[in-house]
Amino acid sequence: MQPTTPSIISPDIPTPQKSSSPLKLGILASGSGTNFEALVQAIADGKLRAEMPVLIYNKPGAAVAARAQRWGIPAILLDHRKYQSREAFDFDIAQTLSQYGVEWVIMAGWMRRITGVLLDRYPERVINIHPSLLPSFPGLHAVEQALKAGVKITGCTVHIACLEVDSGPILVQAAVPILPDDTPETLHARIQVQEHEILPRAIQIAAMGVGELRK
Amino acid sequence: MQPTTPSIISPDIPTPQKSSSPLKLGILASGSGTNFEALVQAIADGKLRAEMPVLIYNKPGAAVAARAQRWGIPAILLDHRKYQSREAFDFDIAQTLSQYGVEWVIMAGWMRRITGVLLDRYPERVINIHPSLLPSFPGLHAVEQALKAGVKITGCTVHIACLEVDSGPILVQAAVPILPDDTPETLHARIQVQEHEILPRAIQIAAMGVGELRK
């Protein structure tokens, strides 16, 4: 067995502009909230010049809510099961984000499909993170998909969200080698380390102008 | 601009078995033959325990033929335009490879689709190299495809060939970051450096038993 080769992260990482006003990020999260935590930490460490006025979560008891409380960030529960349609759900999300002055929407493990209702309110300002090197393995269970396909390298992608799931202009990617004895759990854990690295960088890049990302 | 991050190569690189007899590799190549050259050099350097009894090329005047001559390796021209069908072409290829005692067939920049005629003669013993991180960007112009898609990381893949183009069990992959000012030419050149690295390793892995690669 060789030692584990390092991950690579695609380049062009801008340094935060001290002069600009901090970005106002609204976070959408469904789960344990490790990406949320990584973002708050990056802000606390001065790596990302941003504020986080609100977290929206959709599952009662999600661990991410407790994390938000520890950081003193308002955590709003919007339960998708209480809505008649995706559009009605997204309308309330967009309303809530606006009320808190959110400029950029970060889907940090948001397990719901978004609609034009949210995208029209935040055009090219919704950012998604996905645990594969897109365009490979979009959709659910990306880590399991990669293991099943037998690829030797996978990774994660941060991109501008659009209506099609896991599509849209790519901001940053990181590559992660698959080890011979990887399980979905061990591989996902290694991918998450990279997610926490690239999400703050991707937000910085997006804030500098997504127009340049479109070919 | 950050310094260029290094490429990563997926792990599990076996060391050559000194006791085993050298692999007999037959090379199929259409172009300039840089992968051919990298393989011969890896053999000369003792990194790959193999022999190369024959090169088959399909384009009169291909630069790979001159490379073979410099190394004293027989270079056989089989021009696909002189055949009525892909099968008839592959029949002559398989016959030629057999005559030279070839055990493993390496498609090192072979721009022809292969058929069951070749695969039946060399079951799970035909190896292909492709300039993308499969399953992303199969088929022609993989480097241009990656640039057009706006991905930030691409790479190359060595895999066991099957009837479907650019499919089959993956042996080794390497990741290559895309730089902001990359052209198809600059990116392809950086991918080729990795191709030359992983092709000999992949052959070694394949020779140790492809059965383990199938999930």
Side-chain angles (χ1 to χ4, degrees):
Chain A
M1 174 70 72
Q2 298 282 314
T4 303
T5 45
S7 302
I8 60 168
I9 294 173
S10 57
D12 52 49
I13 300 144
T15 42
Q17 297 295 315
K18 296 290 176 197
S19 57
S20 60
S21 60
L23 308 169
K24 290 191 168 49
L25 311 180
I27 312 297
L28 308 183
S30 301
S32 68
T34 61
N35 274 313
F36 168 84
E37 190 83 27
L39 272 183
V40 188
Q41 196 63 57
I43 293 169
D45 295 347
K47 292 178 182 171
L48 176 64
R49 189 160 155 73
E51 295 169 358
M52 209 177 273
V54 67
L55 162 77
I56 293 175
Y57 65 109
N58 68 320
K59 292 185 180 171
V64 69
R67 292 184 193 264
Q69 280 156 13
R70 279 198 294 276
W71 286 91
I73 293 168
I76 310 288
L77 173 64
L78 294 178
D79 189 337
H80 60 278
R81 293 169 301 185
K82 298 189 175 168
Y83 292 84
Q84 297 285 350
S85 67
R86 293 185 192 277
E87 285 75 14
F89 181 49
D90 274 6
F91 182 82
D92 265 13
I93 291 171
Q95 286 289 95
T96 306
L97 294 170
S98 293
Q99 283 162 12
Y100 280 87
V102 166
E103 299 164 340
W104 290 87
V105 184
I106 316 298
M107 301 165 69
W110 182 246
M111 303 306 283
R112 306 297 302 165
R113 288 185 64 166
I114 59 169
T115 69
V117 171
L118 182 58
L119 291 176
D120 287 350
R121 187 77 72 97
Y122 287 96
E124 297 189 355
R125 292 209 164 203
V126 181
I127 290 174
N128 183 43
I129 185 158
H130 181 78
S132 79
L133 286 177
L134 292 172
S136 287
F137 314 125
L140 292 174
H141 309 302
V143 177
E144 288 82 352
Q145 284 186 57
L147 280 172
K148 197 173 173 194
V151 296
K152 305 302 179 185
I153 295 175
T154 185
C156 46
T157 301
V158 185
H159 64 95
I160 305 289
C162 62
L163 280 179
E164 196 181 336
V165 172
D166 300 326
S167 294
I170 292 173
L171 295 160
V172 184
Q173 296 184 299
V176 175
I178 295 183
L179 306 181
D181 52 358
D182 259 332
T183 64
E185 291 72 28
T186 60
L187 178 55
H188 203 177
R190 279 207 321 291
I191 291 172
Q192 282 183 315
V193 172
Q194 296 305 315
E195 289 183 1
H196 303 162
E197 191 75 20
I198 69 173
L199 183 54
R201 296 176 187 210
I203 294 168
Q204 203 83 45
I205 289 170
M208 292 178 66
V210 293
E212 292 172 36
L213 293 166
R214 300 193 173 280
K215 302 264 175 183
Chain B
M1 174 68 72
Q2 298 282 315
T4 303
T5 45
S7 301
I8 59 168
I9 294 172
S10 57
D12 52 49
I13 300 143
T15 41
Q17 297 294 315
K18 297 289 178 198
S19 58
S20 60
S21 59
L23 308 169
K24 290 191 168 52
L25 310 180
I27 312 297
L28 308 184
S30 301
S32 69
T34 61
N35 273 314
F36 168 84
E37 190 83 27
L39 272 183
V40 188
Q41 195 63 58
I43 293 169
D45 295 346
K47 293 178 181 169
L48 177 64
R49 189 161 157 72
E51 296 169 357
M52 209 176 276
V54 67
L55 161 77
I56 294 174
Y57 65 109
N58 67 319
K59 291 184 181 171
V64 69
R67 291 185 193 264
Q69 280 156 13
R70 280 199 294 275
W71 285 92
I73 293 168
I76 310 287
L77 172 63
L78 294 179
D79 188 337
H80 59 279
R81 293 169 301 185
K82 297 189 175 166
Y83 292 82
Q84 298 284 349
S85 68
R86 292 185 193 278
E87 286 75 14
F89 181 49
D90 273 6
F91 182 83
D92 265 14
I93 291 171
Q95 285 289 94
T96 306
L97 294 170
S98 293
Q99 283 162 12
Y100 281 88
V102 165
E103 299 163 339
W104 290 86
V105 184
I106 316 298
M107 300 165 71
W110 182 244
M111 302 306 284
R112 304 298 302 166
R113 289 185 63 167
I114 59 170
T115 70
V117 172
L118 181 58
L119 290 176
D120 287 350
R121 187 76 73 96
Y122 286 96
E124 297 189 353
R125 293 209 163 203
V126 181
I127 290 174
N128 185 41
I129 185 158
H130 182 78
S132 79
L133 286 177
L134 292 172
S136 287
F137 314 125
L140 292 174
H141 309 301
V143 178
E144 287 83 352
Q145 285 185 59
L147 280 173
K148 197 173 172 193
V151 296
K152 305 302 180 187
I153 295 175
T154 185
C156 47
T157 301
V158 184
H159 65 95
I160 304 289
C162 63
L163 279 180
E164 196 181 336
V165 172
D166 299 326
S167 294
I170 292 173
L171 296 159
V172 183
Q173 296 184 299
V176 175
I178 295 183
L179 305 181
D181 52 358
D182 258 332
T183 64
E185 292 70 30
T186 60
L187 178 55
H188 203 176
R190 280 207 320 290
I191 292 172
Q192 283 184 313
V193 171
Q194 297 304 316
E195 289 183 1
H196 303 162
E197 191 76 18
I198 68 174
L199 183 54
R201 297 178 188 207
I203 293 168
Q204 203 83 47
I205 288 170
M208 290 177 68
V210 292
E212 291 171 38
L213 294 167
R214 298 193 174 280
K215 301 261 175 185

